């Protein structure tokens, strides 16, 4: 599976960004291109026999002078176990077992991939979750003694999340996003330098959050599932499981507004083009 590494000189400091592809997943074609997201569209997609293209599942590490930050934890290879979904409700179990496909081995999990860039689970200072869906929290068992930051609104709403699948040790640091960053009225600065921050990007889930790294070359926007890919962001295409289409569209406007003021490298969790886009940062 792919690993991307990009070094960024920011003033006098060196920041290293790594992208790790922790497996792939696929959902039904009609669930990908739903006109009206919601439960009915999800149920309707069960009739569809065709899966859409495989989507990579990215998570990210920022090696920063103030710490090593992991954004999302990817898939767990335990999804391959026959009874992994036994604890979730009947319809959701059917969805995960029959309406989704996963491609992940133990070697693809985030803990093993970190070692390929001379890091390991213990080197992580903080984990930041964009939201609580299974392909973003799957690697949490590898980070039991490390603070895990979750937006308070995401923790309260838990849209499409399955707490029965969370590790029993999961005790996140709940973050209230009470600061501001440009057009984003819910933000939280993680670093003292105020260059790594969480911004609420609601829509996919009620408390969906993106992570921003500000550099003197431009803004790296770790977009989670705000849209699955940049192309889908531009076409305003959202999946059937989107919590609020209206919120998603409002969030897109905020990102577009930011992109008019600054150079933005948009890095969604399921985009095959992330490597090229990140590499292009060097030429900005
Ligand atoms: Zn999601």
């Amino acid at each position: 599976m792919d690993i991307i590494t990009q070094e960024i000189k920011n003033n006098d400091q060196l920041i290293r960004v790594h992208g790790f592809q922790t497996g792939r997943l696929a959902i039904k074609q009609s669930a990908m291109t739903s006109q009206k997201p919601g439960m009915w569209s999800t149920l309707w997609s069960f009739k569809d026999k065709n899966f859409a293209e495989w989507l990579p599942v990215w998570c990210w590490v920022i090696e920063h002078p103030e710490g090593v930050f992991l954004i999302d934890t990817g898939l767990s290879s335990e999804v391959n176990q026959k009874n992994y979904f036994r604890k979730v409700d009947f319809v959701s179990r059917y969805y995960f077992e029959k309406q989704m496909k996963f491609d992940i081995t133990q070697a693809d999990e985030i803990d093993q991939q970190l070692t390929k860039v001379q890091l390991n689970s213990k080197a992580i200072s903080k984990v930041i979750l964009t939201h609580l869906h299974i392909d973003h929290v799957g690697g949490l068992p590898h980070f039991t003694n490390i603070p895990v930051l979750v937006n308070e609104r995401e923790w309260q709403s838990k849209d499409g999340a399955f707490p029965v699948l969370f590790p029993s040790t999961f005790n996140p640091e709940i973050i209230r996003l009470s600061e501001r960053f440009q057009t984003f009225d819910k933000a939280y600065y993680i670093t003292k330098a105020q260059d790594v921050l969480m911004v609420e990007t609601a829509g996919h889930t009620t408390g969906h959050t993106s992570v921003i790294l500000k550099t003197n070359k431009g803004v790296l926007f770790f977009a989670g599932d705000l849209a699955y890919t940049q192309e889908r962001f531009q076409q305003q295409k959202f999946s059937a499981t989107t919590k609020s289409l209206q919120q998603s569209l409002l969030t897109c406007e905020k990102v577009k507004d930011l992109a008019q003021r600054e150079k933005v490298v948009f890095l969604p969790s399921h985009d095959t083009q992330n490597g090229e886009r990140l590499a292009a940062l060097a030429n900005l």
Side-chain angles (χ1 to χ4, degrees), residues 251-269:
T251 292
C252 286
E253 290 310 310
K254 290 181 188 174
V255 179
K256 282 181 197 158
D257 194 88
L258 177 66
Q260 278 178 349
R261 300 157 193 243
E262 314 233 13
K263 284 178 178 151
V264 173
V265 179
F266 193 65
L267 301 165
S269 294

Side-chain angles (χ1 to χ4, degrees), residues 14-207:
L14 185 71
I15 295 177
R16 219 175 265 126
V17 174
H18 308 281
F20 302 92
Q21 189 186 332
T22 57
R24 304 185 299 170
L25 58 79
I27 61 174
K28 291 292 181 66
Q29 186 70 54
S30 69
M32 273 293 263
T33 53
S34 163
Q35 297 294 322
K36 240 189 178 180
M39 192 181 66
W40 290 112
S41 297
T42 303
L43 292 174
W44 186 252
S45 72
F46 289 10
K47 272 163 47 82
D48 190 348
K49 292 201 165 39
N50 301 314
F51 278 94
E53 68 278 12
W54 284 104
L55 298 172
V57 180
W58 291 100
C59 35
W60 304 92
V61 164
I62 303 172
E63 286 191 71
H64 184 279
E66 292 185 41
V68 182
F69 305 107
L70 171 65
I71 303 163
D72 287 334
T73 64
L75 272 171
S76 165
S77 63
E78 288 183 17
V79 295
N80 299 318
Q81 292 172 9
K82 205 164 180 289
N83 282 316
Y84 182 69
F85 295 107
R86 71 187 182 284
K87 289 184 190 158
V88 310
D89 65 276
F90 178 79
V91 176
S92 303
R93 181 174 181 172
Y94 179 75
Y95 179 78
F96 287 130
E97 290 183 349
K98 305 287 181 202
Q99 305 297 317
M100 281 189 85
K101 288 194 297 190
F102 301 102
D103 174 22
I104 169 102
T105 66
Q106 221 171 347
D108 300 327
E109 287 192 27
I110 183 63
D111 63 320
Q112 304 225 11
Q113 294 214 52
L114 286 171
T115 63
K116 293 180 187 162
V117 296
Q118 283 69 55
L119 290 170
N120 59 52
S121 301
K122 291 193 180 72
I124 303 297
S125 325
K126 283 182 167 104
V127 177
I128 309 157
L129 294 179
T130 60
H131 63 302
L132 298 166
H133 286 171
I134 65 158
D135 51 322
H136 299 258
V137 301
L140 281 177
H142 305 304
F143 305 96
T144 45
N145 291 314
I146 293 162
V148 180
L149 278 50
V150 176
N151 178 0
E152 184 180 47
R153 295 236 297 170
E154 179 67 8
W155 189 247
Q156 285 167 346
S157 47
K158 295 191 181 69
D159 299 320
F162 293 89
V164 289
L165 298 176
F166 293 163
S168 56
T169 51
F170 185 38
N171 182 24
E173 199 174 302
I174 307 301
I175 304 294
R176 180 167 291 177
L177 277 62
S178 53
E179 292 164 286
R180 219 194 147 86
F181 172 68
Q182 301 216 8
T183 43
F184 296 91
D185 53 5
K186 295 191 181 74
Y188 175 79
Y189 293 89
I190 294 168
T191 53
K192 287 199 183 77
Q194 300 214 325
D195 56 353
V196 179
L197 59 145
M198 296 163 76
V199 291
E200 189 168 290
T201 48
H204 182 69
T205 60
T206 304

Side-chain angles (χ1 to χ4, degrees), residues 4 58 60 266-269 271-279:
I4 315 164
W58 291 100
W60 304 92
F266 193 65
L267 301 165
S269 294
D271 196 325
T272 53
Q273 307 298 313
N274 282 334
E276 288 86 336
R277 222 173 290 131
L278 190 56

